[in-house]
Amino acid sequence: MRDYVILLAQKHESFRKSELESLAVLFNINVDLSSHSEQSPLLFVTLESEIDAKKLIQRSILARSIYEVWGVASTFADLHKSVKANTHYEWYNYKECSFKFDIISFQHTRTKEEQRDIIESFAYINFEGPIRMKKPDQVFTVIEEYEISKESSERSELKTVCFGRLVADSQRDIIDKYDLKKRKYIGTTSFDAELALISANIGLCDKGKIAYDPFAGTGSFLVAASHFGALALGSDIDGRQIRGKSKNNITTNYAQYSLSSYFLDTFIGDFTHNPIRQNFLIDAIVCDPPYGVREGLKVLGSKNAERYADRLPTLLQNGDMSHLRPDYIPPKKPYHFDALLDDLLFFAALHLTDNGRLCCWMPTANEEYGERNIPQHPDLLLVSNCVQEFSKWSRRLLVYVRRPRKDLSSHHNVTKMTRVYTEQFRDKYFRGFSKLESKAI
Amino acid sequence: MKLLTANFVQCTVKSCASSKDCFPLHFDQQSAEMPLELAHEDVDFNVEFIANILPRIEWRALITTTRELGNNQLPEEKPDIVNPHAEENLQLLKDLHTLLLETQIVQGSMRCANCGHIYFIRDSIPNFLLPGHLVQ
C-alpha cells in the first residue's frame, strides 16, 4: 500500500469523483475517494500498487495524472523534511535514470528563476542521471496548491505542496481528437465530446461489451462508447439523422476515427416500440433523451386517437395501401418527457445485464429541482447524479446500476411505474423558467 | 444490418409480443422492389466480444436466419466454449465472427411470422417504424 496523489482538471468538478469511482469498479480497485473536494485539483489516495494507480487513471478524462507521493506539507520546509523522512531509502533506485522536474502551480504562477530555485532545493536527493526533457525515465513533480487568502482576496497563500514521482498520465488529451468542431457529421443535438466520453466511462463501456443509445441522433455517445472498446448499437426515430448523407453519416464518423470495427448497427425505430427482443441483454445504455426543446419529443401514433380505431390500413385513391409506398412517413404524436424517462428505466431494468449501467442525461429547471424529481425503479440503483449548470437550468447525468436479478427476493416481473405527469421540462423552458402565476382562489 | 442484429430484433407490433412467432424475423419472402443484397465487410476480430456475445445468441433462431440467407454451415448445437483463448476454439470463433459481424445485409425485407408485417432494410439500415393503424 502506498500514497498517491491524483491531479485533476478543474472542469466538470461534480463529475470527477463519479468518473474515478466508476473506473475503480471497472478495474476492481479498492480505493477511498472520500477526501475529494470540488475546489481542489489534488486528491490523495492510498492504493495497493503502481499497477492499480495506472489502471485507475489511464482511461480518465477528468484526471490529468497520478503521482507516487514522496512528500506533502503546507510549507516547503516541511515538504523537504517529509521527503527526506519518507523516501530516503529509495533514492538510490533513481540515481542513474534520466529524469526531469516539473512544477505545477494551482492559483499561482512561478517565474523561471523561482522554478529553478525550487528544483535546486531538492539537490539533497542527489540524482546523478542525465536530465532529459523529452521522454525521460522519470518525471519528478512539485505540485503546489494556493488558495485565496481569507484576509485579502488579492493575495493567495500556499495551502498544500506535494512532491511526487509521475506514475501515469490520463487520457484527457483524447478530447481533442473527438472535438465536435473536427467531426465530419454533426447536428444541432450532437453531444459535447468531453462529456460523452465521461458518460461512456461512467457507463463502464469496455472491450467485449454492447452499448446502446436509443436516441443516437448523430452518434456522439456511440463513438464515445466505441472509443473505449464497446460495440455500439444506436437507434433513433428520426431516419434522416440515422442515415445522414451518403458522404457524411455515423459510419463515416466511425471511419474518421478508425473505429469501424466497434460499430455494431444503427436502426430507425421508436423507443416506445422497440424491436430488441425481450430477453436480449445489453451491458450499457448511454444516452441523452430528447427533452422536446430543440427537437420535438415524438413517438409513433396519431395525435387523433380515433383515426386508426378500426386498425385498418389507409388506402389511397388507387387502392394501394399508403404505408407500403416508399415515401410513407409514419404518423407521430407528442409524448411527455417524464413518461419517456419512465419507459427508459423500465427498458433498462429489462435489458441490462446484472450490474450493467444506464447513464442518461436529464434536464432540470433550477428553482424546482428536488431529489423526488429523479425517476426511480425498484430494479435499478441510482449511484450517481452529477450536474452541469447553465444559467437558468441544469442538466444531470443520472447513473443507474441494474441490481443483480438473483438478489431480488421477490420474483416479480419488471413492471412499468405508473405516475401522474405534471408540467414537463420543455414547458418550463419555453416559459423562461419564470414562476407560474398562481390563480386567485 | 449485420447478421448478428437479426438475432436480437423482433416484431414491434405490441400484440405480437405474446407470440413466439414474432422472433426471429424472416428473410424468406423478399420483394422485387427491394431485392435481398448481402455484402462482406471486414471487421477486426475481437475475441472478447465474440466470447461475450455467444451466450446471448438464440441458436435456433440463428440457424433459421442463416438458412434463409443461403448458409447451411452452422452446427445444430450451439458450441460450448469454455476457454475462448484456447487454440482449438480460435477457428470456430473466427468463423462465427465472419458470419455474425462481417455479413452485412445491405438491403432486403424481414417478415413477422405472427402478423405478417414487413420491415425494410435499405442502405444497411433497418426501419422498425410502424404505420398508424398498427400502433397501440
Side-chain angles (χ1 to χ4, degrees), chain A residues 9-41:
Chain A
Q10 282 301 111
K11 190 146 180 242
H12 300 308
E13 289 87 332
S14 64
F15 293 77
R16 300 187 315 192
K17 188 171 168 196
S18 198
E19 193 199 32
L20 287 172
E21 274 170 351
S22 304
L23 293 173
V25 167
L26 184 61
F27 294 108
N28 215 5
I29 296 169
N30 210 353
V31 62
D32 178 5
L33 300 168
S34 58
S35 67
H36 175 266
S37 153
E38 288 187 16
Q39 281 66 50
S40 175

Side-chain angles (χ1 to χ4, degrees), chain B residues 32-79:
Chain B
E33 289 150 2
M34 280 275 223
L36 184 69
E37 201 186 303
L38 301 182
H40 173 92
E41 264 178 13
D42 282 335
V43 173
D44 291 343
F45 177 63
N46 180 347
V47 67
E48 290 102 334
F49 182 75
I50 281 290
N52 264 1
I53 200 72
L54 196 52
R56 300 185 214 188
I57 290 175
E58 290 280 337
W59 197 255
R60 290 252 51 89
L62 184 64
I63 290 186
T64 302
T65 302
T66 50
R67 286 185 187 165
E68 285 171 357
L69 294 174
N71 177 313
N72 294 309
Q73 291 173 330
L74 285 182
E76 286 293 317
E77 295 288 320
K78 186 198 285 201

